[in-house]
Amino acid sequence: MTITQSFGQKVRHFRNLKGFSQEELADLCSLHRTYIGSVERGERNITLINAEKIATALEQPLASFFLEKSNVN
């Protein structure tokens, strides 16, 4: 699994925990809904700025998207 796929799985996991749709998360981040979808599918090599926007919107420390401890499938 690539780092972009792993990051995307964590985004989807935390988004689902919050009960947000992709569109709701995108609005909170000032990003496009299709962008969030492509991040979740691991298709985007996103910038740290956008990663931080997503983490902030999901109220998670950015590091939690990279830690193995919060493994999601």
Side-chain angles (χ1 to χ4, degrees), residues 11-31:
V11 171
R12 180 174 286 136
H13 171 74
F14 292 129
R15 177 179 61 78
N16 287 332
L17 285 178
K18 286 284 192 184
F20 294 156
S21 67
Q22 288 180 344
E23 187 169 8
E24 290 169 324
L25 177 57
D27 286 344
L28 289 170
C29 300
S30 300
L31 299 170

Side-chain angles (χ1 to χ4, degrees), residues 44-64:
R44 295 271 181 169
N45 186 12
I46 70 172
T47 64
L48 288 173
I49 292 168
N50 286 343
E52 182 180 44
K53 286 180 183 180
I54 291 170
T56 299
L58 293 171
E59 299 177 329
Q60 292 291 324
L62 184 55
S64 67

